[in-house]
Amino acid sequence: MKIALTTQPEMRLLLTIKKIINNPWIGIVVSLAVIIPSLYKILDDVTIFRFEYILLAISFPIYIRSLKKIFNEILDNTDDFND
């Protein structure tokens, strides 16, 4: 029986999707693409409850988490240069 050392095409697709999801820069771009239009519609008339409030409540924590991940990577890399 032979063990395949090459990755299957399905696995490459899965690995690529995982890299995209775990990339904090993608998280920032996507969350800003949702936050900015939502704020534009919300600020048009604040007194009406809209679907954009829910989108804002979901996308804002994604934005904060992505920024935290980027800043943690920056701080971890600056420690390496000081040695």
Side-chain angles (χ1 to χ4, degrees):
M1 185 162 46
K2 184 177 178 182
I3 298 174
L5 295 177
T6 60
T7 57
Q8 301 297 326
E10 297 86 18
M11 294 302 289
R12 280 189 235 143
L13 179 64
L14 183 64
L15 291 173
T16 305
I17 291 172
K18 281 186 178 181
K19 284 181 184 178
I20 290 171
I21 290 173
N22 291 333
N23 189 347
W25 293 101
I26 300 294
I28 288 177
V29 169
V30 169
S31 61
L32 282 178
V34 173
I35 289 172
I36 292 172
S38 296
L39 284 176
Y40 182 74
K41 287 185 179 181
I42 288 171
L43 292 176
D44 187 34
D45 189 10
V46 182
T47 60
I48 300 172
F49 184 74
R50 298 175 183 257
F51 178 69
E52 284 77 18
Y53 285 112
I54 297 169
L55 290 177
L56 192 64
I58 293 170
S59 61
F60 192 69
I62 294 172
Y63 179 72
I64 297 297
R65 188 189 71 193
S66 298
L67 280 178
K68 181 183 176 197
K69 192 182 286 186
I70 289 172
F71 288 136
N72 284 339
E73 288 177 5
I74 290 170
L75 291 175
D76 289 343
N77 288 339
T78 56
D79 290 342
D80 294 339
F81 292 126
N82 289 335
D83 289 334

